[in-house]
């Protein structure tokens, strides 16, 4: 019985997953539509709230703009009416009576009686002396004529035409403003100034009566941001400056927009403004945000309540539906547990035509199939045990063979290791040998060079054949010296005993110096030696090592070029300086390009005999470039020339 239980458990586990999958499918069929409906309902409610919010804000802004426009128009009309009356009177004075005193006094009294907003009137001649003055309720003051030539109301009227002073609080605790305008004669020549003091308390009354919805209000500021009209007159009398209030800032900076900000009463408001053009003042209309929020909260509460009721309705429907599904699913779950415990005779009595009915039928069919397969599984298990025993015996025999093979392989690996160590010793011995030979050769070579110098001094005493011999010895001595120096340099590099001394150097200058030194060599062969150098920054590098790199590459280019030119290019590419040495020489084949930088490598013995060389120059050049953090590469076409390129980092 034990052998078939693992198979049973696997089948039963699949059955459990199937039940969950069906439950999930049914659940998804029920839940997803309701979730989608709920989501779109929420979006709809949110959209309605947002739309109503915008409508509400637009409505508030429209009301504010209408009120501000109406208020500014009324104040503008009030002041303009006074100015028009004064202008008409000034023309009458200038063109008719020409300062006839009695007539002027009568006219001034008529104007004061006609317009109760005018408190006083003065006629000033061109020298700045008052010649006629009428003060309402104060006959004594009417007789006190003064020199006002230094006052703003006189000077500004002459300079600018109509002049309006800042608002000030009179002795009667009401706001006053001085208005002046020039008096012109029939030739439009200024002959004096007409000034008046106007009472603006009607403006206070107009402003205090205006309401914006339930709690909104209006106030007026002058061009200096001083409060000049408000429902609370006590604040006006304090001469508050409101330049820090955003709505006032917008007025002063002529920014035509509504905005939410904190006003002078520390209350969050929605504010807008309109200018009073004739006076340069601004009407500010503000509505406390609290009133707007209360209206929006009601709307939000209605929307959220509707959504919650809708969600509760959906939840109740889902609970009813899921209860109808849970009963048959519990029968299926019980059947699974029975089979899992070994009872293959358990049957599920569900006859519905939906997915659950199909699953119940499949479950009953499964128990029948499990009973039939039990015997087959047990028989198969017995055969499997016999087969396993047979295979185990064969594996033991194969294991012995593998073990023997492993021992042989380990022995071979030990032999290879010993051979590798011997190769390392040989390579080390080779390097030491080359180093010793180079040093030993250098000592006699120095003596040979010294004696050659003596022979060169005696050239005049030598025959032509002897001179040729001396020059041949000199050339070969030079080649031998270069060979010894290259071998020593290579030995130092392999032993890691050479140093790089970095200093700030102009590579542009260094290239020109090396090219100048090699110009004689190129001209001797009839070759052009060209430089194309862009503007280069100074970089940190080993000057002597870089000189050696340039010398090696340019000398090689001259050596292997019979006709044409050698071009040296240098330019800055991102964080590197790139140098190209381009020749029109014999070129290098593709198979030789891969080995060109190897030690002692020469592309062709016949070429080596013709051009000379040790096969170490390019190897040393590569190591010197890489030691300075650079890279070197070569491109070549056989018979058409080569380009050796190296780049050094700027930093």
């Amino acid at each position: 019985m034990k052998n078939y239980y693992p198979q049973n458990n696997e089948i039963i586990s699949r059955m459990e997953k199937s039940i969950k999958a069906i439950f999930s499918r049914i659940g998804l069929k029920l839940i997803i539509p309701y979730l989608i409906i709920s989501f779109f309902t929420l979006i709809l409610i949110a959209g309605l709230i947002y739309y109503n919010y915008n409508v509400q804000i637009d409505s508030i802004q429209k009301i504010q703009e209408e009120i501000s426009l109406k208020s500014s128009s009324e104040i503008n009309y009030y002041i303009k009416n006074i100015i028009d009356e004064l202008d008409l009177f000034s023309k009458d004075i200038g063109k008719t009576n020409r300062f006839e005193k009695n007539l002027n006094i009568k006219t001034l009294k008529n104007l004061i009686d006609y317009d109760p907003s005018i408190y006083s009137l003065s006629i000033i001649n061109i020298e700045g002396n008052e010649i006629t003055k009428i003060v309402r309720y104060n006959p004594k003051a009417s007789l006190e004529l003064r020199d006002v030539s230094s006052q703003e109301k006189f000077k500004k009227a002459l300079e600018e035409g109509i002049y309006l002073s800042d608002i000030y609080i009179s002795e009667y605790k009401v706001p006053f403003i001085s208005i002046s305008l020039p008096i012109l004669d029939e030739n439009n020549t200024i002959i004096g100034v007409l000034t008046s003091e106007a009472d603006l308390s009607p403006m206070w009354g107009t402003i205090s009566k205006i309401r914006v919805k339930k709690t909104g209000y209006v106030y007026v500021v002058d061009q200096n941001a001083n409060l000049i009209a408000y429902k609370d007159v006590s604040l006006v009398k304090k001469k508050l400056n409101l330049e820090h209030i955003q709505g006032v800032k917008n007025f002063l900076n002529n920014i035509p927009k509504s905005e939410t900000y904190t006003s002078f009463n520390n209350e969050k408001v929605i504010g807008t403004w309109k200018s009073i053009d004739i006076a340069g003042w601004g009407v500010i209309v503000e509505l406390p945000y609290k009133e707007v929020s209360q209206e929006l909260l009601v709307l939000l509460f209605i929307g959220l309540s509707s959504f919650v009721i809708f969600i509760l309705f959906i939840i109740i429907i889902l609970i009813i539906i899921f209860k109808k599904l849970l009963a048959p699913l519990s029968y299926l779950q019980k059947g699974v547990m029975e089979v899992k415990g070994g009872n293959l005779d358990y049957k599920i009595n569900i006859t519905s035509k939906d997915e659950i009915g199909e699953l119940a039928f499949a479950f009953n069919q499964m128990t029948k199939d499990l009973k039939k397969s039990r015997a087959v599984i047990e028989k198969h298990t017995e055969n499997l045990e016999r087969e396993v025993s047979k295979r185990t015996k064969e594996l033991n025999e194969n294991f012995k063979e593998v073990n023997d093979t492993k021992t042989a392989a380990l022995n071979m690996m030990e032999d290879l290791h010993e051979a590798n160590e011997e190769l390392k010793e040989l390579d080390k011995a080779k390097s030491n040998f080359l180093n010793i030979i180079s040093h030993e050769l250098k000592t006699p070579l120095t003596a040979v060079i010294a004696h050659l110098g003596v022979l060169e001094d005696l050239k005049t005493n030598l025959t032509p054949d002897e001179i040729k011999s001396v020059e041949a010895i000199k050339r070969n001595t030079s080649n031998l010296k270069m060979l010894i120096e290259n071998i020593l340099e290579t030995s130092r590099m392999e032993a890691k005993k050479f140093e790089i001394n970095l200093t700030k150097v102009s590579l542009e200058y260094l290239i020109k110096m090396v090219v100048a030194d090699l110009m004689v060599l190129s001209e001797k062969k009839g070759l052009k030696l060209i430089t194309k150098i862009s503007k280069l920054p100074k970089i940190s590098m080993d000057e002597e090592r870089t000189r050696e790199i340039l010398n090696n590459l340019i000398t090689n280019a001259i050596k292997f070029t019979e006709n044409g030119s050698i071009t040296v290019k240098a330019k800055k590419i991102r964080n590197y300086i790139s140098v190209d040495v381009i020749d029109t020489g014999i070129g290098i084949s593709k198979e030789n390009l891969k080995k060109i930088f190897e030690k002692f490598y020469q592309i062709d013995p016949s070429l080596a005999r013709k051009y000379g060389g040790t096969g170490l120059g390019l190897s040393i050049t590569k190591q010197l470039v890489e030691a300075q953090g650079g890279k070197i590469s070569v491109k070549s076409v056989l018979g058409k020339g080569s380009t050796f390129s190296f780049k050094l980092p700027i930093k």
Side-chain angles (χ1 to χ4, degrees):
M1 292 292 289
K2 290 181 181 179
N3 291 330
Y4 85 92
Y5 275 126
Q7 299 293 332
N8 270 356
N9 289 338
E10 185 179 348
I11 294 169
I12 293 164
S13 295
R14 288 203 297 268
M15 179 62 72
E16 285 180 318
K17 290 178 182 177
S18 298
I19 293 171
K20 290 179 181 178
I22 289 175
F23 184 79
S24 298
R25 285 204 305 272
I26 295 171
L28 288 173
K29 286 180 181 179
L30 293 171
I31 292 173
I32 288 176
Y34 287 111
L35 288 177
I36 292 172
I37 293 169
S38 301
F39 174 75
F40 281 108
T41 302
L42 179 60
I43 293 295
L44 179 62
I45 292 171
L48 288 172
I49 293 172
Y50 180 73
Y51 172 76
N52 280 282
Y53 171 80
N54 286 331
V55 169
Q56 187 76 3
I57 295 298
D58 289 343
S59 174
I60 290 169
Q61 291 175 352
K62 188 175 181 181
I63 291 170
Q64 287 181 314
E65 287 178 0
E66 289 175 354
I67 292 173
S68 62
L69 180 62
K70 182 181 177 182
S71 303
S72 63
S73 298
E74 288 182 3
I75 296 171
N76 197 71
Y77 175 78
Y78 180 78
I79 295 174
K80 187 176 184 304
N81 189 54
I82 296 173
I83 292 174
D84 289 343
E85 290 174 355
L86 294 174
D87 183 54
L88 184 63
F89 181 63
S90 70
K91 289 177 181 177
D92 184 56
I93 295 172
K95 295 181 180 180
T96 306
N97 55 53
R98 303 273 306 178
F99 301 152
E100 202 283 312
K101 184 174 182 181
N102 293 328
L103 185 59
N104 285 342
I105 291 173
K106 183 179 179 182
T107 305
L108 291 178
K109 285 182 178 179
N110 289 337
L111 182 57
I112 285 180
D113 292 339
Y114 173 75
D115 192 343
S117 61
I118 296 176
Y119 176 72
S120 70
L121 287 167
S122 297
I123 298 174
I124 306 167
N125 63 20
I126 196 67
E127 287 80 21
N129 297 311
E130 291 181 329
I131 60 174
T132 307
K133 181 163 66 174
I134 296 293
V135 180
R136 190 188 297 273
Y137 311 129
N138 194 345
K140 185 179 179 181
S142 301
L143 301 176
E144 296 175 357
L145 302 178
R146 300 177 182 178
D147 180 359
V148 296
S149 59
S150 61
Q151 293 183 11
E152 288 288 314
K153 63 182 180 180
F154 174 73
K155 293 192 295 183
K156 291 289 184 181
L158 293 178
E159 295 171 3
E160 302 174 3
I162 298 173
Y163 164 72
L164 278 75
S165 71
D166 293 337
I167 292 177
Y168 58 93
I169 305 300
S170 72
E171 57 183 317
Y172 303 109
K173 306 300 180 184
V174 293
F176 269 52
I177 184 173
S178 291
I179 302 174
S180 304
L181 64 166
I183 300 172
L184 306 175
D185 64 9
E186 59 273 10
N187 298 319
N188 287 327
T189 302
I190 298 174
I191 60 173
V193 172
L194 176 65
T195 68
S196 70
E197 289 181 297
D199 180 5
L200 296 183
S201 55
M203 181 177 71
W204 279 4
T206 300
I207 295 302
S208 63
K209 292 174 184 177
I210 296 174
R211 290 289 179 269
V212 185
K213 295 182 80 68
K214 294 180 181 178
T215 58
Y217 48 84
V218 176
Y219 58 91
V220 181
V221 294
D222 62 16
Q223 60 269 33
N224 298 316
N226 296 314
L227 182 65
I228 59 175
Y230 181 55
K231 61 184 179 180
D232 187 351
V233 177
S234 63
L235 293 179
V236 179
K237 292 178 179 179
K238 289 181 180 179
K239 297 183 179 180
L240 292 180
N241 186 276
L242 305 180
E243 63 180 4
H244 61 285
I245 304 302
Q246 189 60 48
V248 179
K249 286 182 182 178
N250 290 345
F251 154 65
L252 295 174
N253 297 315
N254 196 27
I255 301 173
K257 69 173 183 178
S258 296
E259 196 166 346
T260 301
Y261 54 87
T262 301
S263 189
F264 61 89
N265 52 12
N266 293 322
E267 192 172 25
K268 189 176 181 182
V269 298
I270 298 175
T272 189
W273 63 272
K274 277 288 182 295
S275 64
I276 302 170
D277 296 332
I278 197 166
W281 303 335
V283 175
I284 315 297
V285 181
E286 293 178 347
L287 176 65
Y289 197 78
K290 187 187 298 182
E291 183 176 342
V292 180
S293 300
Q294 288 173 351
E295 294 178 1
L296 292 176
L297 282 173
V298 172
L299 180 64
L300 183 63
F301 176 76
I302 294 171
L304 291 178
S305 300
S306 302
F307 181 72
V308 169
I309 292 169
F310 178 76
I311 292 297
L312 289 174
F313 176 72
I314 289 176
I315 291 172
I316 292 169
I317 292 175
L318 289 175
I319 289 172
I320 294 170
I321 293 172
F322 275 101
K323 278 186 177 181
K324 290 183 178 180
L325 290 173
L326 286 175
L329 285 175
S330 64
Y331 296 145
L332 283 169
Q333 188 176 15
K334 183 179 178 183
V336 170
M337 297 306 295
E338 288 288 336
V339 173
K340 198 171 184 178
N343 183 9
L344 299 180
D345 296 319
Y346 184 83
K347 302 292 181 184
I348 297 176
N349 296 317
I350 298 176
T351 58
S352 60
K353 301 298 183 182
D354 55 14
E355 288 93 338
I356 297 176
E358 292 175 4
L359 184 60
F361 176 79
F363 181 87
N364 293 333
Q365 188 63 40
M366 178 197 70
T367 55
K368 290 179 183 179
D369 294 340
L370 285 173
K371 287 173 71 176
K372 290 178 182 179
S373 62
R374 180 184 298 173
V376 176
I377 292 171
E378 288 177 349
K379 185 177 181 180
H380 179 70
T381 302
E382 290 175 2
N383 293 335
L384 186 61
E385 286 178 351
R386 286 195 297 270
E387 189 66 23
V388 168
S389 179
K390 181 181 177 181
R391 294 296 181 188
T392 302
K393 185 177 180 181
E394 291 175 357
L395 283 172
N396 287 333
E397 292 174 356
N398 292 335
F399 179 74
K400 184 178 179 183
E401 294 178 5
V402 172
N403 197 37
D404 293 340
T405 304
K406 176 184 174 184
T407 303
L410 288 172
N411 292 334
M412 289 175 67
M413 288 177 67
E414 288 180 2
D415 294 340
L416 286 172
H417 180 72
E418 291 175 2
N420 186 48
E421 291 297 322
E422 289 179 5
L423 286 173
K424 287 183 179 178
E425 290 297 326
L426 285 172
D427 187 60
K428 185 177 180 181
K430 179 207 73 174
S431 298
N432 290 335
F433 173 75
L434 288 174
N435 199 20
I436 292 167
I437 290 298
S438 300
H439 278 289
E440 292 300 323
L441 287 173
K442 198 170 184 181
T443 302
L445 185 63
T446 303
V448 171
I449 292 171
H451 287 296
L452 275 174
V454 174
L455 287 175
E456 284 189 324
D457 293 338
L458 299 173
K459 269 186 180 181
T460 55
N461 299 323
L462 299 176
T463 66
D465 290 336
E466 287 172 338
I467 291 171
K468 287 181 181 179
S469 298
V470 169
E471 288 177 350
I473 293 169
K474 184 179 178 182
R475 283 196 304 274
N476 286 283
T477 304
S478 177
N479 290 338
L480 183 58
K481 181 182 178 184
M482 183 177 67
L483 173 61
I484 291 169
E485 287 176 350
N486 286 343
I487 292 172
L488 285 171
E489 185 79 347
T490 303
S491 298
R492 283 194 293 269
M493 288 179 176
E494 288 181 348
K496 301 189 184 301
K497 292 183 179 178
F498 83 109
E499 296 179 354
I500 294 294
N501 299 312
L502 298 178
T503 56
K504 283 282 185 179
V505 178
S506 169
L507 187 55
E508 178 182 354
Y509 175 76
L510 188 60
I511 292 171
K512 290 179 179 178
M513 291 291 292
V514 173
V515 168
D517 292 343
L518 296 175
M519 189 64 74
V520 175
L521 184 61
S522 66
E523 290 174 350
K524 190 174 180 181
K525 291 189 70 176
L527 302 174
K528 291 183 180 179
L529 186 51
I530 305 164
T531 57
K532 294 182 179 179
I533 305 172
S534 303
K535 185 68 177 178
L536 302 176
K538 286 188 176 182
I539 64 171
S540 295
M541 64 180 181
D542 189 317
E543 183 175 358
E544 290 304 316
R545 301 291 187 180
T546 308
R547 184 189 294 272
E548 186 175 347
I549 292 166
L550 292 166
N551 193 74
N552 284 349
L553 294 178
I554 299 172
T555 303
N556 267 7
I558 295 171
K559 183 192 296 183
F560 291 103
T561 303
E562 297 300 331
N563 296 296
S565 63
I566 292 91
T567 303
V568 182
K569 293 183 178 180
K571 60 183 178 179
K572 179 178 176 292
I573 301 177
R574 292 187 293 275
N575 296 324
Y576 289 86
I577 291 180
S578 176
V579 180
D580 298 328
V581 179
I582 307 164
D583 65 59
T584 58
I586 61 174
I588 307 166
S589 63
K590 287 184 179 180
E591 56 270 18
N592 287 322
L593 278 176
K594 297 178 181 178
K595 302 178 181 179
I596 196 71
F597 293 109
E598 292 181 3
K599 289 182 291 185
F600 300 107
Y601 181 75
Q602 293 180 323
I603 57 177
D604 189 338
S606 62
L607 291 175
R609 286 193 298 272
K610 180 178 179 181
Y611 295 105
T614 63
L616 288 172
L618 289 177
S619 173
I620 291 170
T621 300
K622 181 175 184 292
Q623 293 186 67
L624 291 177
V625 171
E626 291 176 350
Q628 298 184 74
K631 293 182 180 179
I632 189 168
S633 61
V634 60
K635 294 179 182 178
S636 184
V637 178
L638 193 61
K640 293 187 178 180
S642 305
T643 299
F644 283 83
S645 304
F646 71 92
K647 59 181 183 178
L648 297 175
I650 292 174
K651 294 184 180 180

